[in-house]
């Protein structure tokens, strides 16, 4: 059962799923540090590691305890997330740069099968494609009279020929009527799919 509603807004239930006033707890031990989860917390962003471990036929469903070698520092953030709290943007995480903390949190969200959180984190750790920076200023200095854009070159509105003389900047292309040669264009931070 997947629910976006915070656990505090849902009725409590015991391990059999029957409504009750007595809360049943589940223990996750991360590198020796114990965390207690309610059924509602386990079912938040489900199906996930916790619903598989505690609510199926695994031995952990009887003992209601699971052990993991994941970071207890990061797991404390998962406890808050499973309680319905916003954990992003991240507060400083002990011993990690913000970038490393986001990447590690994403890895653990994947490990625990928290798909909604994993998608949010992936958006934060995937950099946007860089903007294209095309230098065309030197083309204007070659006698075009106006700045020539990459679009002008690609559309064929401006035709260039190679200037074979030696220049400090390297090979140049100059305008010529009739013959079209590929222009030399300098680009930085180009993202090509």
């Amino acid at each position: 059962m997947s629910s976006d509603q915070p656990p505090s807004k849902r009725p409590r239930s015991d391990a059999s799923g029957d409504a009750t006033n007595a809360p049943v707890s589940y223990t996750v031990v991360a590198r020796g540090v114990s965390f207690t989860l309610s059924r509602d917390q386990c079912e938040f962003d489900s199906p996930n590691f916790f619903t598989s471990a505690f609510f199926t036929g695994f031995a952990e469903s009887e003992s209601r305890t699971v052990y993991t070698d994941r970071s207890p520092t990061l797991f404390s953030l998962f406890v808050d997330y499973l309680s319905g709290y916003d954990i992003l943007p991240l507060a400083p995480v002990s011993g990690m740069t913000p970038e490393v903390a986001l990447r590690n949190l994403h890895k653990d969200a994947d490990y625990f099968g928290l798909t909604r959180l994993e998608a949010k984190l992936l958006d934060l750790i995937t950099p946007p494609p860089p903007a294209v920076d095309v230098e065309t200023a030197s083309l204007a200095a070659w006698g075009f009279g106006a700045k020539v854009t990459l679009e002008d070159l690609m559309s064929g509105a401006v035709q260039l020929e190679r200037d074979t003389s030696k220049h400090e900047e390297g090979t140049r292309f100059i305008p010529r009527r009739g013959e079209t040669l590929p222009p030399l264009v300098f680009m930085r931070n180009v993202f090509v799919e």
Side-chain angles (χ1 to χ4, degrees):
M1 161 174 87
S2 178
S3 177
D4 290 333
Q5 190 176 26
S8 62
K9 299 290 185 190
R10 296 188 302 247
R12 295 181 180 208
S13 57
D14 65 14
S16 67
D18 297 327
T20 181
N21 290 331
V24 174
S25 63
Y26 302 88
T27 303
V28 177
V29 181
R31 295 184 189 165
V33 179
S34 294
F35 297 89
T36 303
L37 300 177
S38 68
R39 182 180 185 99
D40 292 333
Q41 286 174 299
C42 292
E43 291 176 339
F44 191 79
D45 199 353
S46 63
N48 58 45
F49 174 91
F50 311 107
T51 56
S52 294
F54 296 131
F55 309 135
T56 58
F58 292 114
E60 291 86 357
S61 63
E62 289 183 29
S63 69
R64 289 184 270 179
T65 301
V66 61
Y67 296 87
T68 181
D69 63 352
R70 310 313 277 194
S71 166
T73 302
L74 293 177
F75 195 80
S76 66
L77 295 170
F78 288 115
V79 173
D80 288 343
Y81 171 73
L82 295 171
S83 298
Y85 294 118
D86 292 327
I87 62 169
L88 300 172
L90 280 182
V93 176
S94 177
M96 296 181 213
T97 66
E99 296 79 17
V100 169
L102 278 173
R103 284 195 310 270
N104 288 342
L105 197 62
H106 176 260
K107 289 175 187 176
D108 280 0
D110 177 52
Y111 178 86
F112 291 117
L114 302 171
T115 55
R116 289 193 313 267
L117 179 58
E118 183 184 2
K120 288 178 186 178
L121 292 165
L122 185 60
D123 288 343
L124 293 174
I125 64 174
T126 304
V132 176
D133 179 12
V134 180
E135 289 187 5
T136 57
S138 63
L139 293 176
W142 294 349
F144 286 110
K147 190 171 182 179
V148 176
T149 66
L150 181 58
E151 185 177 322
D152 293 334
L153 296 173
M154 299 303 288
S155 70
V158 174
Q159 296 179 353
L160 304 173
E161 84 172 40
R162 185 175 183 168
D163 174 1
T164 57
S165 60
K166 299 288 182 188
H167 301 281
E168 286 182 28
E169 315 74 60
T171 302
R172 293 183 180 178
F173 290 84
I174 57 174
R176 178 180 178 180
R177 301 209 183 264
E179 184 180 343
T180 302
L181 295 173
L184 176 64
V185 178
F186 176 76
M187 294 185 190
R188 276 184 264 165
N189 302 325
V190 176
F191 179 77
V192 181
E193 289 185 1

